[in-house]
Amino acid sequence: MAYVITDTCTKDEHCIEACPVNCIHPTKDEADFETVAQLHVNPGECIDCGACVPVCPTNSIFLSDEVPTEHAEATDKNAAYFG
């Protein structure tokens, strides 16, 4: 079970810095960083460690089965980002 980032994400990159497996994208070095509204967790690479959760200043990161109903579309958006 991977983590999902909701649309309250401000792309501050604290989660990227905390992630031990670099599964959060895009980073500032990737071409689409400026054009996407939020960051996304690659479910195939996420090791479910939770290191990203406590560093998120907007409380935008949830386990995929614990995403609040008002942000339910975040799971689909995350999956679509990684195709």
Side-chain angles (χ1 to χ4, degrees):
M1 173 180 344
Y3 284 83
V4 172
I5 300 175
T6 65
D7 62 359
T8 57
C9 172
T10 58
K11 300 191 315 187
D12 56 55
E13 294 192 288
H14 295 304
C15 57
I16 291 172
E17 294 166 5
C19 181
V21 294
N22 301 315
C23 69
I24 302 172
H25 299 277
T27 65
K28 283 187 180 175
D29 297 334
E30 295 174 308
D32 58 342
F33 182 84
E34 294 298 325
T35 60
V36 297
Q38 68 186 69
L39 301 177
H40 303 278
V41 177
N42 185 326
E45 297 175 358
C46 180
I47 60 170
D48 307 327
C49 70
C52 55
V53 177
V55 299
C56 180
T58 57
N59 297 314
S60 301
I61 306 173
F62 300 89
L63 280 169
S64 59
D65 67 347
E66 295 178 2
V67 175
T69 47
E70 65 267 21
H71 297 291
E73 75 284 347
T75 303
D76 292 336
K77 285 173 66 175
N78 191 74
Y81 181 81
F82 292 102

